[in-house]
Amino acid sequence: AQSVAQPEDQVNVAEGNPLTVKCTYSVSGNPYLFWYVQYPNRGLQFLLKYITGDNLVKGSYGFEAEFNKSQTSFHLKKPSALVSDSALYFCAVRAVSSGTYKYIFGTGTRLKVLA
Amino acid sequence: DAMVIQNPRYQVTQFGKPVTLSCSQTLNHNVMYWYQQKSSQAPKLLFHYYDKDFNNEADTPDNFQSRRPNTSFCFLDIRSPGLGDAAMYLCATSRASLGHEQFFGPGTRLTVL
């Protein structure tokens, strides 16, 4: 079965410290991986994606993610966290199911950046 | 700016009273999706349209229906809302090919009294 796992419900990090939000996946074929962020009472906002090419992808607001095929992981990172980064983060994979495309989301990780 | 718009942002309905949520997009994307999201959980896909082709998720209750009269608009109809249908409903769009991300609207928060 195709799936995405985010093993941490919550990640706390001090402002200015590096942050990592973890994501692992299981899909058949080549993975198309995405990170989204959600602020309270808002829709999801796209951060970055991996389709092919360089394993380190850079996205919005200073975020980056590293694709690791052997570990089937796509962890989200940022070198220096800001309080404004506090939000809910979702990892997603786009998969083929019953001949159509759809997105499979992880359960989300709440990031809290402490001042 | 190209975007995904959802109306209303907040909707209150009574138990069993039909309600319609609307979504429009200026991105000209082929695919439109409806998700249900409860209490900061992962969005749960209800159905999606690939152009005019409707794709229902197997576990989407019959109580939920959708219409897409044209490329720009998509509607979510809840025929007889129950208390368990109170949630945030998210509309999203994407281009058809695999590598493209989704663009989300701000969501409609549905309250069922």
Side-chain angles (χ1 to χ4, degrees):
Chain A
Q2 301 179 104
S3 64
V4 174
Q6 293 181 244
E8 302 154 319
D9 289 337
Q10 182 162 317
V11 169
N12 294 330
V13 64
E15 187 175 29
N17 282 3
L19 69 88
T20 299
V21 182
K22 296 179 180 177
C23 172
T24 59
Y25 65 90
S26 173
V27 294
S28 53
N30 293 323
Y32 296 83
L33 297 158
F34 303 82
W35 275 102
Y36 292 85
V37 60
Q38 187 177 32
Y39 296 99
N41 292 310
R42 302 300 302 273
L44 278 67
Q45 184 177 338
F46 169 73
L47 279 179
L48 50 78
K49 64 183 178 183
Y50 173 83
I51 304 302
T52 187
D54 194 349
N55 288 345
L56 183 65
V57 293
K58 295 188 183 296
S60 306
Y61 313 119
F63 284 93
E64 56 190 31
E66 186 165 12
F67 171 66
N68 188 316
K69 187 173 183 178
S70 63
Q71 296 184 4
T72 61
S73 67
F74 189 55
H75 300 332
L76 180 70
K77 300 182 180 186
K78 187 173 183 180
S80 178
L82 300 172
V83 172
S84 57
D85 293 330
S86 299
L88 188 57
Y89 290 80
F90 290 99
C91 181
V93 61
R94 192 162 184 184
V96 176
S97 176
S98 303
T100 65
Y101 306 137
K102 67 177 185 180
Y103 291 83
I104 300 171
F105 285 87
T107 51
T109 299
R110 186 167 299 282
L111 174 67
K112 282 195 174 181
V113 181
L114 307 169
Chain B
D1 286 340
M3 55 198 305
V4 181
I5 302 163
Q6 289 188 247
N7 285 305
R9 291 293 312 277
Y10 300 90
Q11 176 73 57
V12 180
T13 190
Q14 292 182 331
F15 183 94
K17 185 174 181 180
V19 66
T20 294
L21 310 182
S22 72
C23 176
S24 63
Q25 55 132 339
T26 59
L27 298 159
N28 203 32
H29 285 168
N30 304 79
V31 193
M32 295 187 77
Y33 309 79
W34 278 106
Y35 289 91
Q36 180 192 64
Q37 187 183 29
K38 294 185 177 182
S39 302
S40 300
Q41 296 175 15
K44 178 182 182 298
L45 182 65
L46 295 172
F47 23 60
H48 72 279
Y49 277 93
Y50 188 130
D51 292 324
K52 288 186 177 290
D53 293 334
F54 177 71
N55 298 275
N56 198 32
E57 292 300 296
D59 58 354
T60 298
D62 292 340
N63 197 27
F64 291 85
Q65 303 286 318
S66 185
R67 296 169 283 134
R68 189 179 185 184
N70 54 52
T71 300
S72 301
F73 284 87
C74 196
F75 300 97
L76 170 61
D77 300 310
I78 309 176
R79 294 193 294 187
S80 181
L83 297 179
D85 296 328
M88 176 76 89
Y89 289 88
L90 298 170
C91 175
T93 72
S94 74
R95 295 182 195 272
S97 60
L98 275 172
H100 289 282
E101 64 273 21
Q102 290 181 308
F103 291 78
F104 283 82
T108 295
R109 183 166 295 283
L110 178 67
T111 300
V112 182
L113 301 178

